[in-house]
Amino acid sequence: MTTDTTTLPRTHKTATPGHAAPRRTKRRTAGKRRSAGSYAVVAAVTVFVLAFLAPFAIILLNSFKTSADYRSHGSLSWPEHWNWDIISDVWQRVDFTQKLINSIEISLGVVLIAVVLALFNAYAIGIGRVRWRTAFLVFFLGVNVLPQEGLVYPIYYLFKEMGLYDGKLGYTILVGVTYSAFGTYLLSSVFSSFPRELIEAASLDGAGRWAILWRIILPMSWPTLSVMCVFFFVWSWNEFLYPLVLLISNDNQTVPLGLSVMQGQYTSDPTAMSAAALLGVIPMIVFFLVFQRSLTRGVTAGAVK
């Protein structure tokens, strides 16, 4: 018997070293490029974070220095003797407890007024589709771009005539209504892309306008509303021009106004000013740490569906 020594045709070809080498080289080159790009991004972010934290570090160092230490070694040196009494001195000099209570009350009131008004206005414009919708949006946008300096005298005269001058209630209503214009413009764009099928299905089930607002619109819009609450609180906390004109008594002044008294026309104490700035920024840091998760969820809510 003879055996057939013919070989069957191969269905798979083995890759030669000449073909595999370029692929491996490309992969290694791409990996090196990705690693180099990642290092560049990390370096840029590190530089940005250090530049952002540098002023806070300088304020923290100077907040616990003595005046003689500051004059002798400057603002960038490490304190030779830690002055722990300067915080309590500034606290009592500014009456920081009362200023802190006023800022918290006003900021919370502003957030409540601005968010409620913005929610109702945006619901009517974005969901209700009222007439002259574009004109309303242009009006609210115009309110946002008006400079505060041009409105100070009319508002001052109006508050004098209405008996709201030097009152926390009138100031809170003013700032809340002003911020609601921005909130209305923002929420209107969000509500205009709201799924109409949900609203129609709720209407067929017998839900009225109030039920649709509180049971459907509000829960689904809470991430955006949480971001608005954080922004409005921070903006109201940092307001300086309107409180300077409308809140003149010591019992009604806010934290920024209280800290401004540390700077005189002919006298200045850098260490006391640094301690005052530290007292002013600590509540904001605590606020962001408490509401960090809500802010992150609100910012990234529209990124993933």
Side-chain angles (χ1 to χ4, degrees):
M1 292 178 64
T2 61
T3 57
D4 189 4
T5 58
T6 59
T7 59
L8 296 174
R10 296 181 178 179
T11 57
H12 300 283
K13 295 182 179 180
T14 58
T16 59
H19 293 286
R23 294 181 181 179
R24 295 177 181 176
T25 304
K26 291 181 180 179
R27 291 177 182 177
R28 292 177 181 176
T29 305
K32 292 181 180 179
R33 291 178 180 176
R34 285 196 298 268
S35 61
S38 302
Y39 290 144
V41 171
V42 171
V45 172
T46 303
V47 172
F48 176 78
V49 171
L50 292 177
F52 181 79
L53 295 178
F56 296 99
I58 295 175
I59 291 175
L60 184 62
L61 286 177
N62 295 323
S63 298
F64 299 96
K65 288 182 180 179
T66 60
S67 299
D69 189 6
Y70 181 87
R71 289 191 298 267
S72 301
H73 303 92
S75 60
L76 299 180
S77 63
W78 193 263
E80 291 188 352
H81 303 285
W82 291 87
N83 185 13
W84 301 103
D85 297 331
I86 190 171
I87 298 295
S88 60
D89 294 341
V90 171
W91 189 290
Q92 296 176 1
R93 191 191 310 179
V94 177
D95 192 11
F96 193 78
T97 303
Q98 184 63 41
K99 305 297 188 299
L100 185 63
I101 294 174
N102 293 338
S103 292
I104 293 175
E105 291 177 352
I106 291 174
S107 298
L108 292 178
V110 167
V111 169
L112 179 62
I113 295 173
V115 171
V116 171
L117 289 180
L119 180 63
F120 288 161
N121 294 335
Y123 180 65
I125 296 175
I127 302 297
R129 301 290 183 177
V130 297
R131 297 178 61 183
W132 303 300
R133 175 177 178 272
T134 305
F136 280 116
L137 291 179
V138 171
F139 169 76
F140 287 117
L141 181 61
V143 173
N144 294 321
V145 299
L146 288 176
Q148 291 184 345
E149 293 79 5
L151 300 175
V152 167
Y153 179 74
I155 292 175
Y156 169 80
Y157 184 78
L158 178 64
F159 273 48
K160 279 285 190 179
E161 293 296 324
M162 297 181 63
L164 299 175
Y165 184 70
D166 195 19
K168 292 186 291 185
L169 178 60
Y171 171 76
T172 303
I173 295 175
L174 168 68
V175 180
V177 172
T178 304
Y179 288 175
S180 67
F182 173 79
T184 300
Y185 184 80
L186 176 63
L187 284 179
S188 297
S189 60
V190 175
F191 288 172
S192 61
S193 60
F194 198 85
R196 306 295 298 183
E197 294 80 5
L198 294 177
I199 301 176
E200 294 175 358
S203 300
L204 293 176
D205 291 339
R209 296 180 179 178
W210 286 101
I212 293 175
L213 174 62
W214 296 114
R215 297 181 180 180
I216 299 177
I217 304 297
L218 185 60
M220 298 188 65
S221 304
W222 179 244
T224 305
L225 294 176
S226 62
V227 174
M228 287 177 49
C229 291
V230 173
F231 285 167
F232 289 164
F233 188 92
V234 174
W235 293 349
S236 176
W237 186 279
N238 294 327
E239 280 283 352
F240 185 80
L241 181 59
Y242 282 158
L244 180 64
V245 177
L246 302 177
L247 301 175
I248 59 173
S249 63
N250 187 44
D251 295 335
N252 295 327
Q253 290 181 349
T254 57
V255 170
L257 287 182
L259 301 182
S260 65
V261 302
M262 304 302 300
Q263 175 68 37
Q265 184 176 1
Y266 301 105
T267 60
S268 176
D269 188 357
T271 57
M273 292 179 59
S274 299
L278 182 63
L279 290 177
V281 77
I282 285 178
M284 285 291 94
I285 295 176
V286 174
F287 179 80
F288 272 107
L289 291 178
V290 172
F291 294 96
Q292 178 184 8
R293 183 173 299 179
S294 298
L295 182 61
T296 305
R297 289 178 180 177
V299 171
T300 60
V304 180
K305 293 186 178 180

